Amino acid sequence: MLVTGGNRGIGLAIAKAFAAQGDQVAVTHRSGADGLPAELLPVQCDVTDAAAVDAAFSEVEEKHGPVQVLVSNAGMNDDTLLMRMSEDSFTKVIDANLTAAYRVAKRASRGMLKAKSGRMIFISSVVGLTGSAGQVNYAASKSGLVGLARSIARELGSRGITANVVAPGFVDTDMTRALPDARRAEILGQVPLGRYADAREIASAVTWLGSEDAGYVTGAVIPVDGGLGMGH
Ligand code: NDP
């Protein structure tokens, strides 16, 4: 199985959870793979580069065989209000979060179609469903993943391939540690469970979607958000 952006944060927690159940796990990284557990296969890949995605899959296929479970997790944000958001900021975030998911899904579908089975799991966000002031680019990319996954679910379901979305709320990672204290406190005030998620709590939903037990689940959006998005 392959996790994009698996060198830190939520992606690393997902990779470790699959490895802990005995799966062969490859992780893509861009900034480096220092300190990764030895059981994870690190593969250099910038997901905004289609040739790099193709090369990364070829390397994983050579070492582990075809990718049976794909977790499209790599993502970034570049927050600012609409009035100040440059077109470059908008397209950069869409490219890294949404177009990249299309790239990896398309590449993964090749092997999955041959195998007549496969699991694709896309890491979206609660803000893709609720919207978020200051995150027009990020929220658009994350809601785009819902349409992408559900279309794949319809296209490839007859070939035994499932496509699902996990929508985390606020998780304690580098991405949220970068938020100002006042914003962190404001967010916590809106979370019924009153705390951030541990990345392992996102990973457990993802491993379930990748398991035999979830064989009849496709096109689903599973919130893991402490109740933040209820009703969306
Ligand atoms: P981090 O910022 O901790 O890690 C981001 C990961 O994505 C890194 O592995 C990074 O690689 C990788 N990445 C970013 N851009 C690219 C790129 N162009 N090519 C390859 N890899 C890239 O984020 P999180 O772990 O917090 O987030 C993981 C996912 O979960 C993201 O999609 C995020 O949007 C989503 N999410 C996070 C939430 C949170 O509260 N933290 C909430 C909801 C969703 P590198 O180290 O090389 O930069």
Side-chain angles (χ1 to χ4, degrees):
M1 65 93 46
L2 173 67
V3 186
T4 66
N7 54 330
R8 58 195 173 98
I10 295 171
L12 177 57
I14 293 169
K16 282 181 178 169
F18 276 96
Q21 59 186 29
D23 294 331
Q24 283 193 308
V25 181
V27 297
T28 73
H29 64 91
R30 204 179 35 153
S31 60
D34 288 350
L36 271 192
E39 64 270 24
L40 304 181
L41 170 67
V43 182
Q44 170 82 34
C45 176
D46 183 331
V47 293
T48 63
D49 177 346
V53 167
D54 185 43
F57 270 83
S58 299
E59 188 178 337
V60 174
E61 285 163 352
E62 202 177 290
K63 293 183 176 143
H64 284 176
V67 173
Q68 294 162 329
V69 178
L70 167 69
V71 181
S72 177
N73 161 82
M76 55 151 335
N77 62 324
D78 187 22
D79 301 350
T80 190
L81 296 171
L82 174 64
M83 288 294 287
R84 295 194 196 124
M85 189 177 286
S86 66
E87 189 162 329
D88 180 54
S89 166
F90 187 84
T91 53
K92 185 176 68 181
V93 172
I94 296 287
D95 192 20
N97 295 2
L98 179 59
T99 317
Y102 142 80
R103 287 186 193 101
V104 294
K106 183 176 175 184
R107 182 60 180 79
S109 70
R110 225 194 263 174
M112 292 181 185
L113 281 166
K114 239 182 241 167
K116 294 200 171 56
S117 78
R119 299 290 164 85
M120 297 191 195
I121 300 142
F122 300 91
I123 308 301
S124 173
S125 166
V126 63
V127 306
L129 305 168
T130 62
S132 170
Q135 295 195 299
V136 161
N137 47 7
Y138 182 80
S141 72
K142 293 300 184 181
S143 51
L145 290 174
V146 175
L148 178 132
R150 288 186 164 162
S151 302
I152 293 172
R154 290 184 190 280
E155 274 189 36
L156 302 182
S158 64
R159 314 294 187 89
I161 298 167
T162 66
N164 291 291
V165 169
V166 171
F170 285 85
V171 189
D172 192 23
T173 68
D174 294 342
M175 190 178 270
T176 46
R177 275 175 221 131
L179 291 169
D181 285 349
R183 179 76 184 121
R184 283 176 68 96
E186 189 191 337
I187 290 162
L188 279 188
Q190 294 165 5
V191 179
L193 287 180
R195 63 173 178 85
Y196 276 63
D198 184 299
R200 286 171 298 190
E201 294 173 303
I202 312 305
S204 63
V206 177
T207 48
W208 178 72
L209 284 170
S211 75
E212 290 283 319
D213 286 349
Y216 201 57
V217 180
T218 196
V221 179
I222 300 194
V224 187
D225 63 4
L228 180 58
M230 275 190 281
H232 289 278

